[in-house]
Amino acid sequence: MLGFAQTSHGRKWTYAPDNLDELRRASNARGAAHVSAGPQLEGEPVEPLSPEEELALLRKFATHDLPLICAAERVRASARARERIRALACVFLVRVYAARSMMEVCGGGVLDPRVVLCTCVLVAAKVEEAKEVDAAALEAASQVSRALILAVEPDVLAALDHDLCAHSPIGALDGLLHALAEDGGGVQYVKAEPGAPP
């Protein structure tokens, strides 16, 4: 298995907090320009989101909505696969919104975080080869139409530069827990039951 430095994730995702902030501000400025040039709501101009508001929304979707979608009953992957999908979808979500703004246009509409989130879960499930997770299951779990999820998929892949490789610590942590449990290091390894929330 490759170490973090050898993965494309390690080579491309080496942003310092300032660089990441600079990328987010640039994408926010593009999105704000789109909103300013766009239609008005009831004759009033629509106020664009600030970079801080976009980041707060991204955190909400990554920490609240993503776990709910991945733990939904219709997403019938094993507990381990759900965790891997959830971690990878979170990486994809952050990468997409580092490159694009929530206010930018793609696929005929704005990059709605709910749709992008479901699309990131779908792409992560494909990468993890979890055949149980498809657009129909995500539609049932999130109330986002499968047609919309599939329509946004090319735009999400373009925002990711078609780079679907990410370094995840889950496999290493799982191995460490097994090793500690076998060595009698005081750690008890408990397998999650099928259907139990992650």
Side-chain angles (χ1 to χ4, degrees), residues 10-26:
R11 288 191 310 270
K12 293 183 179 182
W13 191 251
T14 54
Y15 301 120
D18 294 338
N19 293 348
L20 189 54
D21 189 49
E22 187 178 306
L23 274 175
R24 284 196 176 117
R25 290 193 183 282

Side-chain angles (χ1 to χ4, degrees), residues 27-93:
S27 69
N28 181 268
R30 287 191 309 271
H34 168 72
V35 168
S36 298
Q40 297 183 350
L41 189 63
E42 297 178 6
E44 296 290 322
V46 178
E47 283 292 318
L49 297 171
S50 71
E52 293 77 20
E53 290 170 328
E54 266 194 290
L55 186 57
L57 273 175
L58 177 61
R59 282 190 180 129
K60 182 244 182 221
F61 280 100
T63 60
H64 182 263
D65 293 3
L66 179 62
L68 290 177
I69 289 172
C70 288
E73 183 180 328
R74 294 299 215 109
V75 180
R76 290 197 164 97
S78 67
R80 181 180 169 135
R82 283 187 202 193
E83 283 303 308
R84 293 181 70 87
I85 291 167
R86 180 176 162 188
L88 191 55
C90 189
V91 169
F92 289 165
L93 187 69

Side-chain angles (χ1 to χ4, degrees), residues 107-183:
V110 175
L111 278 170
D112 180 358
R114 292 179 318 116
V115 178
V116 173
L117 175 68
C118 291
T119 306
C120 287
V121 172
L122 179 65
V123 171
K126 288 178 179 181
V127 169
E128 291 294 330
E129 297 179 0
K131 295 176 179 73
E132 309 86 13
V133 182
D134 59 2
L138 291 171
E139 179 180 37
S142 66
Q143 305 305 315
V144 174
S145 107
R146 80 180 84 175
L148 199 51
I149 293 170
L150 295 172
V152 172
E153 187 176 5
D155 295 309
V156 166
L157 290 171
L160 293 171
D161 286 334
H162 298 278
D163 181 10
L164 304 178
C165 191
H167 181 77
S168 173
I170 291 177
L173 289 174
D174 194 41
L176 176 66
L177 287 174
H178 276 295
L180 287 173
E182 288 174 4
D183 289 344

Side-chain angles (χ1 to χ4, degrees), residues 183-197:
D183 289 344
V187 174
Q188 184 180 8
Y189 185 78
V190 179
K191 272 185 122 174
E193 295 179 21

